[in-house]
Amino acid sequence: ARSCISHSPSAVGQPTSAVLTIYCSNSQLCPPFHPEINKPPIAKIAGNIVITLPTNTAELDGSRSTDDKGIISFLWTRDESSPAAGEVLNNSDHHPVLFLSNLVEGTYMFHLKVTDAKGESDTDRATVEVKPDPRKNNLVEMILDVNVSQLTERQKGMFIRQIGVLLGVLDSDITVQKIQPYTEQSTKMVFYVKNQPPHQIFKGHDVAWTLRNELHKQQSDFLIFRALEINTVTCQLNCSEHGHCDSFTKRCVCDPFWMENFIKVQINDGESNCDWSVLYVVIASFVIVVSFGIFSWAVVCCCKKRKGKSKRKSKYKILDATDQESLELKPNPKAGSKQKAQVQNTSLMHSESEVDSDEAIFTWPDREKGKLLRNQNGFLRNGQATPKPKSQREEIL
């Protein structure tokens, strides 16, 4: 290989020439020298993307980026203000075309940086706007008791026909928008229902309410898969205007001093609400407890009063012989005048003392005492008068 040297000839007293002459080692001129010029690359993205849910995939094309020597690397980055949701497919953030999936409502911004072999680089940016689903308020979701991997296309068609029977529509009027796993043993199916022309979409709240009511009327095994939950995708409960609806649990979160009417939830339509004021519930509960206490106390007192009354007992006492003729049975105050006129003598008197009398009850422990009493009080029957002793004249007559 020959080496080249440069020489700039000049005469004495003359200015140095600006012309650069290159000589080879053998005093011959070398080929002309052209220094290499590198241009930076130009990054270019095809354009901004606009999609509408339920479509949640998009792609950004940066293949129109150019460089005079060729681009050796592409790098896509997400702006910090963009939604975090969404996935990059197949490591495409290092390729000319970026593939995205599972995007959510919002605006995404991505930056593309291209680099050439000399380390020169350039950047460009583009946006992906994801608009909300216009049918989101009419979407119904059902949680099915089946693993998503075990749900076949044939079973899906059969299930849709059963739903159509419950709703009174054709299976072609039901459009399944999404099927995805909910838990390890359950599957979420999202669909909407439209009628015949003009193909109006039924309100999701009405569809969910109808399905719940119809399933309550049917047998538990009417559907091929048991429905664990039936709700609208977006929570549409007004919560009695005293709270807001949780989009995840589909239940009302009540404002302070308000609570759910659990009776309405259990008996009526089962929808969450915020009907009851906590203050009114506390007052009503206090009144109910006090009323129940008063009623219980009255019942207990009544029972004790009945148990405290004992049967009236008849008590007797020994009468002296001198008092037999003076004792008479008291006439019955309720009897007529005839009974009042009748006077009967008796050898025994019924005691009118009550249970708390101090007199002891006379008992007849054996027959001997009975004989003693007959000798002392006489042997007349109760109600008969003692016969008067007859005079001598009466005896003769």
Side-chain angles (χ1 to χ4, degrees):
R2 297 178 300 172
S3 60
C4 297
I5 59 174
S6 60
H7 175 68
S8 179
S10 60
V12 178
Q14 295 181 354
T16 302
S17 175
V19 178
L20 177 64
T21 305
I22 302 176
Y23 294 92
C24 294
S25 57
N26 55 2
S27 300
Q28 295 181 357
L29 292 174
C30 291
F33 175 74
H34 300 286
E36 183 177 0
I37 300 175
N38 180 51
K39 294 182 179 181
I42 299 176
K44 186 175 182 181
I45 304 176
N48 299 325
I49 304 296
V50 179
I51 62 174
T52 302
L53 295 174
T55 302
N56 60 356
T57 60
E59 61 181 45
L60 292 175
D61 187 3
S63 59
R64 297 184 182 181
S65 301
T66 59
D67 185 69
D68 55 348
K69 300 299 181 179
I71 299 174
I72 62 173
S73 70
F74 292 82
L75 180 63
W76 296 87
T77 56
R78 188 182 314 201
D79 191 82
E80 294 181 354
S81 61
S82 300
E87 302 172 358
V88 177
L89 299 179
N90 301 325
N91 200 27
S92 60
D93 54 343
H94 291 83
H95 292 79
V97 181
L98 176 67
F99 295 96
L100 303 170
S101 67
N102 296 329
L103 301 177
V104 297
E105 180 181 347
T107 301
Y108 295 81
M109 180 178 292
F110 289 90
H111 301 271
L112 172 62
K113 181 180 180 181
V114 295
T115 306
D116 62 6
K118 294 297 183 179
E120 299 288 339
S121 63
D122 189 26
T123 58
D124 193 12
R125 65 182 182 179
T127 59
V128 178
E129 182 181 359
V130 183
K131 293 184 177 182
D133 188 351
R135 296 184 292 265
K136 67 178 182 179
N137 291 331
N138 299 321
L139 295 177
V140 179
E141 65 178 18
M142 294 185 66
I143 309 301
L144 307 180
D145 188 17
V146 61
N147 187 281
V148 67
S149 61
Q150 298 177 356
L151 179 62
T152 63
E153 186 66 20
R154 182 179 64 84
Q155 292 173 334
K156 169 191 167 184
M158 185 182 300
F159 184 80
I160 293 302
R161 285 191 292 272
Q162 292 175 334
I163 295 298
V165 171
L166 293 176
L167 296 176
V169 298
L170 300 175
D171 53 348
S172 58
D173 296 334
I174 302 175
T175 303
V176 178
Q177 191 176 93
K178 181 169 53 178
I179 297 178
Q180 64 184 28
Y182 187 72
T183 63
E184 293 183 358
Q185 299 298 328
S186 60
T187 302
K188 180 169 73 172
M189 178 182 293
V190 179
F191 62 92
Y192 63 91
V193 182
K194 59 183 178 181
N195 57 5
Q196 297 298 324
H199 300 291
Q200 276 189 331
I201 300 178
F202 292 159
K203 293 183 178 180
H205 181 271
D206 296 338
V207 173
W209 185 84
T210 303
L211 284 176
R212 286 194 296 264
N213 287 346
E214 292 297 327
L215 285 177
H216 282 308
K217 300 176 183 178
Q218 302 295 334
Q219 297 180 358
S220 58
D221 57 347
F222 179 80
L223 298 177
I224 58 174
F225 301 117
R226 186 165 61 95
L228 302 178
E229 293 181 18
I230 303 176
N231 285 307
T232 55
V233 173
T234 59
C235 191
Q236 302 178 24
L237 301 175
N238 61 1
C239 299
S240 309
E241 299 182 356
H242 299 301
H244 65 277
C245 186
D246 191 326
S247 59
F248 181 75
T249 61
K250 306 298 188 301
R251 300 194 64 85
C252 288
V253 179
C254 299
D255 294 337
F257 305 106
W258 291 91
M259 62 180 293
E260 185 178 68
N261 181 355
F262 59 87
I263 298 178
K264 181 179 179 181
V265 173
Q266 296 296 330
I267 297 178
N268 195 9
D269 52 7
E271 288 187 350
S272 180
N273 58 78
C274 296
D275 288 347
W276 283 354
S277 171
V278 175
L279 178 61
Y280 293 158
V281 171
V282 171
I283 295 175
S285 301
F286 177 77
V287 172
I288 292 173
V289 170
V290 172
S291 302
F292 180 77
I294 294 174
F295 176 76
S296 302
W297 177 79
V299 171
V300 171
C301 291
C302 183
C303 294
K304 287 184 177 180
K305 187 176 181 181
R306 288 186 176 181
K307 291 181 179 180
K309 288 183 178 181
S310 60
K311 296 181 179 180
R312 185 172 181 176
K313 298 180 181 180
S314 298
K315 298 184 178 182
Y316 302 90
K317 65 180 180 179
I318 301 174
L319 301 178
D320 296 334
T322 57
D323 298 331
Q324 291 181 6
E325 295 183 0
S326 62
L327 295 178
E328 297 178 354
L329 290 175
K330 284 189 175 182
N332 188 355
K334 297 182 180 180
S337 59
K338 294 182 180 180
Q339 294 182 357
K340 291 182 180 180
Q342 296 177 359
V343 178
Q344 294 180 350
N345 295 330
T346 179
S347 59
L348 296 177
M349 183 182 70
H350 188 278
S351 174
E352 296 182 1
S353 60
E354 298 296 336
V355 178
D356 56 350
S357 175
D358 295 333
E359 296 179 3
I361 300 176
F362 183 83
T363 59
W364 305 87
D366 50 32
R367 295 184 179 180
E368 296 298 329
K369 293 183 178 180
K371 294 178 181 179
L372 178 61
L373 292 175
R374 281 201 301 272
N375 295 332
Q376 183 177 356
N377 292 338
F379 55 89
L380 296 178
R381 294 183 180 178
N382 191 18
Q384 293 183 355
T386 306
K388 298 181 180 180
K390 296 181 179 180
S391 62
Q392 184 177 3
R393 183 179 180 182
E394 289 178 350
E395 290 179 356
I396 294 172
L397 292 176

